[in-house]
PDB file of all heavy atoms in Angstrom:
ATOM      1  N   LEU A   1      78.128 128.755  88.546  1.00 51.00           N
ATOM      2  CA  LEU A   1      77.165 129.663  89.170  1.00 51.00           C
ATOM      3  C   LEU A   1      76.057 130.042  88.192  1.00 51.00           C
ATOM      4  O   LEU A   1      74.914 130.177  88.538  1.00 51.00           O
ATOM      5  CB  LEU A   1      77.890 130.916  89.667  1.00 51.00           C
ATOM      6  CG  LEU A   1      77.042 132.016  90.321  1.00 51.00           C
ATOM      7  CD1 LEU A   1      76.363 131.462  91.562  1.00 51.00           C
ATOM      8  CD2 LEU A   1      77.880 133.220  90.661  1.00 51.00           C
ATOM      9  N   PHE A   2      76.425 130.238  86.865  1.00 49.00           N
ATOM     10  CA  PHE A   2      75.458 130.736  85.903  1.00 49.00           C
ATOM     11  C   PHE A   2      74.991 129.634  84.929  1.00 49.00           C
ATOM     12  O   PHE A   2      74.271 129.898  83.986  1.00 49.00           O
ATOM     13  CB  PHE A   2      76.088 131.874  85.066  1.00 49.00           C
ATOM     14  CG  PHE A   2      76.503 133.037  85.928  1.00 49.00           C
ATOM     15  CD1 PHE A   2      77.827 133.248  86.216  1.00 49.00           C
ATOM     16  CD2 PHE A   2      75.573 133.900  86.442  1.00 49.00           C
ATOM     17  CE1 PHE A   2      78.230 134.326  87.011  1.00 49.00           C
ATOM     18  CE2 PHE A   2      75.953 134.963  87.244  1.00 49.00           C
ATOM     19  CZ  PHE A   2      77.279 135.174  87.528  1.00 49.00           C
ATOM     20  N   SER A   3      75.408 128.388  85.147  1.00 50.00           N
ATOM     21  CA  SER A   3      75.082 127.352  84.176  1.00 50.00           C
ATOM     22  C   SER A   3      73.725 126.737  84.367  1.00 50.00           C
ATOM     23  O   SER A   3      73.196 126.086  83.467  1.00 50.00           O
ATOM     24  CB  SER A   3      76.155 126.214  84.285  1.00 50.00           C
ATOM     25  OG  SER A   3      76.026 125.603  85.532  1.00 50.00           O
ATOM     26  N   LYS A   4      73.085 126.918  85.554  1.00 56.00           N
ATOM     27  CA  LYS A   4      71.751 126.371  85.823  1.00 56.00           C
ATOM     28  C   LYS A   4      71.722 124.862  85.622  1.00 56.00           C
ATOM     29  O   LYS A   4      70.682 124.297  85.265  1.00 56.00           O
ATOM     30  CB  LYS A   4      70.694 127.047  84.949  1.00 56.00           C
ATOM     31  CG  LYS A   4      70.614 128.564  85.139  1.00 56.00           C
ATOM     32  CD  LYS A   4      69.595 129.176  84.206  1.00 56.00           C
ATOM     33  CE  LYS A   4      69.543 130.683  84.374  1.00 56.00           C
ATOM     34  NZ  LYS A   4      68.573 131.341  83.485  1.00 56.00           N
ATOM     35  N   GLY A   5      72.881 124.222  85.835  1.00 60.00           N
ATOM     36  CA  GLY A   5      72.924 122.763  85.745  1.00 60.00           C
ATOM     37  C   GLY A   5      73.011 122.206  84.351  1.00 60.00           C
ATOM     38  O   GLY A   5      73.110 120.995  84.141  1.00 60.00           O
ATOM     39  N   LYS A   6      72.981 123.077  83.313  1.00 68.00           N
ATOM     40  CA  LYS A   6      73.026 122.609  81.924  1.00 68.00           C
ATOM     41  C   LYS A   6      74.454 122.370  81.503  1.00 68.00           C
ATOM     42  O   LYS A   6      75.345 123.086  81.901  1.00 68.00           O
ATOM     43  CB  LYS A   6      72.345 123.620  81.000  1.00 68.00           C
ATOM     44  CG  LYS A   6      70.867 123.837  81.291  1.00 68.00           C
ATOM     45  CD  LYS A   6      70.292 124.876  80.331  1.00 68.00           C
ATOM     46  CE  LYS A   6      68.792 125.126  80.604  1.00 68.00           C
ATOM     47  NZ  LYS A   6      68.230 126.168  79.701  1.00 68.00           N
ATOM     48  N   THR A   7      74.646 121.378  80.647  1.00 75.00           N
ATOM     49  CA  THR A   7      75.967 121.102  80.104  1.00 75.00           C
ATOM     50  C   THR A   7      75.878 121.079  78.570  1.00 75.00           C
ATOM     51  O   THR A   7      74.876 120.670  78.000  1.00 75.00           O
ATOM     52  CB  THR A   7      76.545 119.777  80.587  1.00 75.00           C
ATOM     53  OG1 THR A   7      75.657 118.724  80.203  1.00 75.00           O
ATOM     54  CG2 THR A   7      76.690 119.770  82.110  1.00 75.00           C
ATOM     55  N   THR A   8      76.973 121.498  77.958  1.00 77.00           N
ATOM     56  CA  THR A   8      77.091 121.454  76.492  1.00 77.00           C
ATOM     57  C   THR A   8      78.374 120.820  76.093  1.00 77.00           C
ATOM     58  O   THR A   8      79.452 121.233  76.574  1.00 77.00           O
ATOM     59  CB  THR A   8      77.027 122.912  75.931  1.00 77.00           C
ATOM     60  OG1 THR A   8      75.819 123.537  76.310  1.00 77.00           O
ATOM     61  CG2 THR A   8      77.118 122.871  74.404  1.00 77.00           C
ATOM     62  N   ALA A   9      78.297 119.774  75.272  1.00 85.00           N
ATOM     63  CA  ALA A   9      79.496 119.097  74.783  1.00 85.00           C
ATOM     64  C   ALA A   9      80.044 119.868  73.585  1.00 85.00           C
ATOM     65  O   ALA A   9      79.531 119.738  72.485  1.00 85.00           O
ATOM     66  CB  ALA A   9      79.183 117.654  74.419  1.00 85.00           C
ATOM     67  N   ALA A  10      81.049 120.700  73.835  1.00 88.00           N
ATOM     68  CA  ALA A  10      81.607 121.486  72.763  1.00 88.00           C
ATOM     69  C   ALA A  10      82.520 120.663  71.842  1.00 88.00           C
ATOM     70  O   ALA A  10      82.641 120.925  70.641  1.00 88.00           O
ATOM     71  CB  ALA A  10      82.410 122.640  73.333  1.00 88.00           C
ATOM     72  N   VAL A  11      83.168 119.654  72.404  1.00 94.00           N
ATOM     73  CA  VAL A  11      84.008 118.719  71.646  1.00 94.00           C
ATOM     74  C   VAL A  11      83.595 117.283  72.077  1.00 94.00           C
ATOM     75  O   VAL A  11      83.526 117.008  73.276  1.00 94.00           O
ATOM     76  CB  VAL A  11      85.505 118.926  71.946  1.00 94.00           C
ATOM     77  CG1 VAL A  11      86.370 117.890  71.236  1.00 94.00           C
ATOM     78  CG2 VAL A  11      85.929 120.313  71.531  1.00 94.00           C
ATOM     79  N   ARG A  12      83.315 116.431  71.069  1.00 95.00           N
ATOM     80  CA  ARG A  12      82.782 115.125  71.387  1.00 95.00           C
ATOM     81  C   ARG A  12      83.576 114.012  70.712  1.00 95.00           C
ATOM     82  O   ARG A  12      83.568 113.893  69.499  1.00 95.00           O
ATOM     83  CB  ARG A  12      81.294 115.008  70.970  1.00 95.00           C
ATOM     84  CG  ARG A  12      80.399 115.972  71.731  1.00 95.00           C
ATOM     85  CD  ARG A  12      78.950 115.708  71.405  1.00 95.00           C
ATOM     86  NE  ARG A  12      78.633 116.154  70.030  1.00 95.00           N
ATOM     87  CZ  ARG A  12      77.458 115.936  69.440  1.00 95.00           C
ATOM     88  NH1 ARG A  12      76.543 115.224  70.052  1.00 95.00           N
ATOM     89  NH2 ARG A  12      77.263 116.355  68.201  1.00 95.00           N
ATOM     90  N   ASN A  13      84.329 113.275  71.532  1.00 95.00           N
ATOM     91  CA  ASN A  13      84.982 112.043  71.061  1.00 95.00           C
ATOM     92  C   ASN A  13      85.841 112.271  69.817  1.00 95.00           C
ATOM     93  O   ASN A  13      85.771 111.534  68.829  1.00 95.00           O
ATOM     94  CB  ASN A  13      83.926 110.969  70.800  1.00 95.00           C
ATOM     95  CG  ASN A  13      84.567 109.587  70.683  1.00 95.00           C
ATOM     96  OD1 ASN A  13      85.551 109.284  71.372  1.00 95.00           O
ATOM     97  ND2 ASN A  13      83.992 108.742  69.868  1.00 95.00           N
ATOM     98  N   VAL A  14      86.676 113.321  69.849  1.00 96.00           N
ATOM     99  CA  VAL A  14      87.514 113.667  68.720  1.00 96.00           C
ATOM    100  C   VAL A  14      88.834 112.933  68.734  1.00 96.00           C
ATOM    101  O   VAL A  14      89.511 112.888  69.779  1.00 96.00           O
ATOM    102  CB  VAL A  14      87.763 115.194  68.661  1.00 96.00           C
ATOM    103  CG1 VAL A  14      88.860 115.513  67.659  1.00 96.00           C
ATOM    104  CG2 VAL A  14      86.487 115.921  68.291  1.00 96.00           C
ATOM    105  N   SER A  15      89.231 112.357  67.611  1.00 96.00           N
ATOM    106  CA  SER A  15      90.525 111.711  67.464  1.00 96.00           C
ATOM    107  C   SER A  15      91.200 112.263  66.210  1.00 96.00           C
ATOM    108  O   SER A  15      90.547 112.438  65.162  1.00 96.00           O
ATOM    109  CB  SER A  15      90.366 110.176  67.313  1.00 96.00           C
ATOM    110  OG  SER A  15      89.786 109.641  68.489  1.00 96.00           O
ATOM    111  N   LEU A  16      92.494 112.555  66.307  1.00 96.00           N
ATOM    112  CA  LEU A  16      93.261 113.008  65.157  1.00 96.00           C
ATOM    113  C   LEU A  16      94.753 112.826  65.412  1.00 96.00           C
ATOM    114  O   LEU A  16      95.166 112.627  66.532  1.00 96.00           O
ATOM    115  CB  LEU A  16      92.957 114.485  64.848  1.00 96.00           C
ATOM    116  CG  LEU A  16      93.203 115.541  65.940  1.00 96.00           C
ATOM    117  CD1 LEU A  16      94.674 116.000  65.968  1.00 96.00           C
ATOM    118  CD2 LEU A  16      92.293 116.756  65.709  1.00 96.00           C
ATOM    119  N   THR A  17      95.534 112.871  64.346  1.00 96.00           N
ATOM    120  CA  THR A  17      96.983 112.798  64.431  1.00 96.00           C
ATOM    121  C   THR A  17      97.571 113.939  63.609  1.00 96.00           C
ATOM    122  O   THR A  17      96.988 114.429  62.646  1.00 96.00           O
ATOM    123  CB  THR A  17      97.538 111.472  63.934  1.00 96.00           C
ATOM    124  OG1 THR A  17      97.210 111.329  62.544  1.00 96.00           O
ATOM    125  CG2 THR A  17      97.004 110.311  64.719  1.00 96.00           C
ATOM    126  N   LEU A  18      98.795 114.366  63.987  1.00 96.00           N
ATOM    127  CA  LEU A  18      99.527 115.373  63.273  1.00 96.00           C
ATOM    128  C   LEU A  18     100.962 114.929  63.162  1.00 96.00           C
ATOM    129  O   LEU A  18     101.608 114.584  64.182  1.00 96.00           O
ATOM    130  CB  LEU A  18      99.431 116.722  64.019  1.00 96.00           C
ATOM    131  CG  LEU A  18     100.175 117.922  63.404  1.00 96.00           C
ATOM    132  CD1 LEU A  18      99.630 118.250  62.047  1.00 96.00           C
ATOM    133  CD2 LEU A  18     100.070 119.124  64.330  1.00 96.00           C
ATOM    134  N   GLY A  19     101.495 114.887  61.933  1.00 95.00           N
ATOM    135  CA  GLY A  19     102.846 114.399  61.702  1.00 95.00           C
ATOM    136  C   GLY A  19     103.869 115.500  61.729  1.00 95.00           C
ATOM    137  O   GLY A  19     103.563 116.701  61.578  1.00 95.00           O
ATOM    138  N   ARG A  20     105.125 115.123  61.938  1.00 94.00           N
ATOM    139  CA  ARG A  20     106.219 116.100  61.937  1.00 94.00           C
ATOM    140  C   ARG A  20     106.289 116.837  60.584  1.00 94.00           C
ATOM    141  O   ARG A  20     106.277 116.183  59.530  1.00 94.00           O
ATOM    142  CB  ARG A  20     107.524 115.415  62.245  1.00 94.00           C
ATOM    143  CG  ARG A  20     108.694 116.369  62.450  1.00 94.00           C
ATOM    144  CD  ARG A  20     109.987 115.597  62.764  1.00 94.00           C
ATOM    145  NE  ARG A  20     109.838 114.785  63.954  1.00 94.00           N
ATOM    146  CZ  ARG A  20     109.963 115.237  65.212  1.00 94.00           C
ATOM    147  NH1 ARG A  20     110.245 116.524  65.397  1.00 94.00           N
ATOM    148  NH2 ARG A  20     109.805 114.439  66.238  1.00 94.00           N
ATOM    149  N   GLY A  21     106.343 118.155  60.601  1.00 94.00           N
ATOM    150  CA  GLY A  21     106.418 118.928  59.377  1.00 94.00           C
ATOM    151  C   GLY A  21     105.176 118.907  58.531  1.00 94.00           C
ATOM    152  O   GLY A  21     105.221 119.292  57.365  1.00 94.00           O
ATOM    153  N   GLU A  22     104.032 118.531  59.143  1.00 96.00           N
ATOM    154  CA  GLU A  22     102.788 118.462  58.392  1.00 96.00           C
ATOM    155  C   GLU A  22     101.848 119.568  58.850  1.00 96.00           C
ATOM    156  O   GLU A  22     101.919 120.079  59.961  1.00 96.00           O
ATOM    157  CB  GLU A  22     102.118 117.117  58.671  1.00 96.00           C
ATOM    158  CG  GLU A  22     100.785 116.912  57.960  1.00 96.00           C
ATOM    159  CD  GLU A  22     100.067 115.628  58.364  1.00 96.00           C
ATOM    160  OE1 GLU A  22     100.030 115.315  59.562  1.00 96.00           O
ATOM    161  OE2 GLU A  22      99.565 114.929  57.469  1.00 96.00           O
ATOM    162  N   THR A  23     100.954 119.999  57.952  1.00 96.00           N
ATOM    163  CA  THR A  23      99.909 120.931  58.292  1.00 96.00           C
ATOM    164  C   THR A  23      98.556 120.248  58.167  1.00 96.00           C
ATOM    165  O   THR A  23      98.199 119.717  57.102  1.00 96.00           O
ATOM    166  CB  THR A  23      99.911 122.178  57.366  1.00 96.00           C
ATOM    167  OG1 THR A  23     101.146 122.874  57.538  1.00 96.00           O
ATOM    168  CG2 THR A  23      98.774 123.116  57.712  1.00 96.00           C
ATOM    169  N   LEU A  24      97.824 120.198  59.270  1.00 97.00           N
ATOM    170  CA  LEU A  24      96.459 119.672  59.277  1.00 97.00           C
ATOM    171  C   LEU A  24      95.487 120.859  59.363  1.00 97.00           C
ATOM    172  O   LEU A  24      95.552 121.615  60.332  1.00 97.00           O
ATOM    173  CB  LEU A  24      96.265 118.740  60.496  1.00 97.00           C
ATOM    174  CG  LEU A  24      94.826 118.225  60.695  1.00 97.00           C
ATOM    175  CD1 LEU A  24      94.410 117.321  59.521  1.00 97.00           C
ATOM    176  CD2 LEU A  24      94.719 117.483  62.034  1.00 97.00           C
ATOM    177  N   GLY A  25      94.654 121.030  58.357  1.00 96.00           N
ATOM    178  CA  GLY A  25      93.698 122.090  58.357  1.00 96.00           C
ATOM    179  C   GLY A  25      92.411 121.650  59.046  1.00 96.00           C
ATOM    180  O   GLY A  25      91.906 120.563  58.766  1.00 96.00           O
ATOM    181  N   LEU A  26      91.902 122.486  59.949  1.00 96.00           N
ATOM    182  CA  LEU A  26      90.680 122.171  60.677  1.00 96.00           C
ATOM    183  C   LEU A  26      89.649 123.225  60.308  1.00 96.00           C
ATOM    184  O   LEU A  26      89.838 124.435  60.548  1.00 96.00           O
ATOM    185  CB  LEU A  26      90.945 122.185  62.182  1.00 96.00           C
ATOM    186  CG  LEU A  26      89.785 121.812  63.108  1.00 96.00           C
ATOM    187  CD1 LEU A  26      89.342 120.381  62.857  1.00 96.00           C
ATOM    188  CD2 LEU A  26      90.194 121.981  64.577  1.00 96.00           C
ATOM    189  N   VAL A  27      88.554 122.810  59.672  1.00 94.00           N
ATOM    190  CA  VAL A  27      87.550 123.746  59.170  1.00 94.00           C
ATOM    191  C   VAL A  27      86.190 123.429  59.725  1.00 94.00           C
ATOM    192  O   VAL A  27      85.918 122.294  60.152  1.00 94.00           O
ATOM    193  CB  VAL A  27      87.496 123.741  57.602  1.00 94.00           C
ATOM    194  CG1 VAL A  27      88.829 124.087  57.002  1.00 94.00           C
ATOM    195  CG2 VAL A  27      86.999 122.381  57.091  1.00 94.00           C
ATOM    196  N   GLY A  28      85.309 124.417  59.715  1.00 91.00           N
ATOM    197  CA  GLY A  28      83.947 124.253  60.186  1.00 91.00           C
ATOM    198  C   GLY A  28      83.373 125.616  60.515  1.00 91.00           C
ATOM    199  O   GLY A  28      84.057 126.633  60.578  1.00 91.00           O
ATOM    200  N   GLU A  29      82.075 125.659  60.764  1.00 85.00           N
ATOM    201  CA  GLU A  29      81.373 126.895  61.075  1.00 85.00           C
ATOM    202  C   GLU A  29      81.747 127.412  62.439  1.00 85.00           C
ATOM    203  O   GLU A  29      82.269 126.659  63.279  1.00 85.00           O
ATOM    204  CB  GLU A  29      79.859 126.687  61.008  1.00 85.00           C
ATOM    205  CG  GLU A  29      79.325 126.360  59.631  1.00 85.00           C
ATOM    206  CD  GLU A  29      77.857 125.966  59.663  1.00 85.00           C
ATOM    207  OE1 GLU A  29      77.487 125.084  60.413  1.00 85.00           O
ATOM    208  OE2 GLU A  29      77.100 126.628  58.958  1.00 85.00           O
ATOM    209  N   SER A  30      81.463 128.673  62.691  1.00 79.00           N
ATOM    210  CA  SER A  30      81.673 129.237  64.026  1.00 79.00           C
ATOM    211  C   SER A  30      80.781 128.446  65.008  1.00 79.00           C
ATOM    212  O   SER A  30      79.614 128.140  64.715  1.00 79.00           O
ATOM    213  CB  SER A  30      81.224 130.715  64.064  1.00 79.00           C
ATOM    214  OG  SER A  30      82.006 131.470  63.148  1.00 79.00           O
ATOM    215  N   GLY A  31      81.352 128.135  66.151  1.00 78.00           N
ATOM    216  CA  GLY A  31      80.603 127.392  67.178  1.00 78.00           C
ATOM    217  C   GLY A  31      80.668 125.892  67.023  1.00 78.00           C
ATOM    218  O   GLY A  31      80.051 125.164  67.826  1.00 78.00           O
ATOM    219  N   CYS A  32      81.386 125.406  66.021  1.00 87.00           N
ATOM    220  CA  CYS A  32      81.447 123.943  65.816  1.00 87.00           C
ATOM    221  C   CYS A  32      82.426 123.270  66.794  1.00 87.00           C
ATOM    222  O   CYS A  32      82.437 122.036  66.888  1.00 87.00           O
ATOM    223  CB  CYS A  32      81.798 123.612  64.396  1.00 87.00           C
ATOM    224  SG  CYS A  32      83.523 123.965  63.953  1.00 87.00           S
ATOM    225  N   GLY A  33      83.288 124.050  67.469  1.00 89.00           N
ATOM    226  CA  GLY A  33      84.199 123.457  68.443  1.00 89.00           C
ATOM    227  C   GLY A  33      85.657 123.489  68.063  1.00 89.00           C
ATOM    228  O   GLY A  33      86.493 122.926  68.773  1.00 89.00           O
ATOM    229  N   LYS A  34      86.007 124.180  66.960  1.00 91.00           N
ATOM    230  CA  LYS A  34      87.402 124.189  66.493  1.00 91.00           C
ATOM    231  C   LYS A  34      88.333 124.774  67.549  1.00 91.00           C
ATOM    232  O   LYS A  34      89.351 124.163  67.908  1.00 91.00           O
ATOM    233  CB  LYS A  34      87.541 125.007  65.191  1.00 91.00           C
ATOM    234  CG  LYS A  34      86.676 124.554  64.053  1.00 91.00           C
ATOM    235  CD  LYS A  34      86.994 125.265  62.765  1.00 91.00           C
ATOM    236  CE  LYS A  34      86.852 126.769  62.847  1.00 91.00           C
ATOM    237  NZ  LYS A  34      85.468 127.249  63.085  1.00 91.00           N
ATOM    238  N   SER A  35      88.029 125.977  68.008  1.00 89.00           N
ATOM    239  CA  SER A  35      88.905 126.645  68.977  1.00 89.00           C
ATOM    240  C   SER A  35      88.903 125.899  70.315  1.00 89.00           C
ATOM    241  O   SER A  35      89.953 125.824  70.998  1.00 89.00           O
ATOM    242  CB  SER A  35      88.476 128.081  69.186  1.00 89.00           C
ATOM    243  OG  SER A  35      88.700 128.843  67.994  1.00 89.00           O
ATOM    244  N   THR A  36      87.781 125.377  70.720  1.00 91.00           N
ATOM    245  CA  THR A  36      87.725 124.610  71.977  1.00 91.00           C
ATOM    246  C   THR A  36      88.586 123.379  71.859  1.00 91.00           C
ATOM    247  O   THR A  36      89.267 123.006  72.843  1.00 91.00           O
ATOM    248  CB  THR A  36      86.270 124.250  72.324  1.00 91.00           C
ATOM    249  OG1 THR A  36      85.468 125.427  72.408  1.00 91.00           O
ATOM    250  CG2 THR A  36      86.205 123.490  73.624  1.00 91.00           C
TER     251      THR A  36
END
């Protein structure tokens, strides 16, 4: 209703893996798409 037809790609073609018992740190500025 409020988008006016505009689209924003918050996450684009992301690939990653996470192993058992591993910690993968994801860093970047606010608005870069981490939480999305």
Side-chain angles (χ1 to χ4, degrees):
L1 179 63
F2 301 105
S3 66
K4 301 179 182 179
K6 296 180 181 179
T7 60
T8 301
V11 176
R12 295 187 289 173
N13 196 33
V14 167
S15 298
L16 58 84
T17 62
L18 179 62
R20 187 179 301 278
E22 180 186 44
T23 297
L24 174 65
L26 184 62
V27 301
E29 294 172 305
S30 300
C32 71
K34 303 187 302 295
S35 293
T36 302

